[in-house]
Amino acid sequence: MELAFAQARAAAGRGEVPVGAVVVRDGVVLAAAGNRTLADRDPTAHAEMLAIRAAAAAIGSERLIGCDLYVTLEPCPMCAGAIAFARIRRLYYGAGDPKGGAVDHGVRLFAQPTCHHAPDVYGGIGETEAGDLLRDFFRARR
């Protein structure tokens, strides 16, 4: 999770919302990314999406069987859908997102009967640090 926080801090340094994500399989980091929606001018360039794409390219498969995703903020509906389609084994996330989250808030995508795959979910990992990063980022913008 520390690598995900490093990616989030780097994103904040670039003026992006500080979210970081890392994909790991068998203790090996396959991909790490921070948000790049502004830099890429791409609304889908969330940290999770970028890390999932890079991990899939690294292993040469669209299925990330046996992979775990560490992310500093509860994934949104788009990212939760990608997590399900990628068949991520476990999701670890930091701060919950009551407004935009889709795992333990909002649509609760993985609990829906139409969800193709639901990872094991562990929320609140480094929640205080994740929340502080986000609060500090937005406070500085106001």
Side-chain angles (χ1 to χ4, degrees), residues 18-68:
V19 177
V22 179
V23 177
V24 176
R25 183 172 66 180
D26 299 327
V28 175
V29 173
L30 297 177
N35 275 357
R36 286 200 324 249
T37 57
L38 299 174
D40 292 359
R41 300 194 189 300
D42 178 356
T44 70
H46 290 195
E48 302 95 305
M49 299 294 286
L50 298 170
I52 288 169
R53 288 175 190 151
I59 65 170
S61 175
E62 74 284 2
R63 301 280 168 92
L64 300 178
I65 306 296
C67 292
D68 300 330

Side-chain angles (χ1 to χ4, degrees), residues 105-131:
H105 296 90
V107 299
R108 293 182 167 93
L109 185 93
F110 303 136
Q112 300 304 315
T114 55
C115 183
H116 296 286
H117 167 80
D120 295 332
V121 176
Y122 304 91
I125 312 297
E127 182 174 19
T128 300
E129 183 177 356

Side-chain angles (χ1 to χ4, degrees), residues 69 71 75 83 88-93 103 110 119-122:
L69 177 65
V71 62
I83 290 164
I88 295 288
R89 175 178 58 181
R90 292 184 200 107
L91 167 65
Y92 299 91
Y93 74 84
V103 176
F110 303 136
D120 295 332
V121 176
Y122 304 91

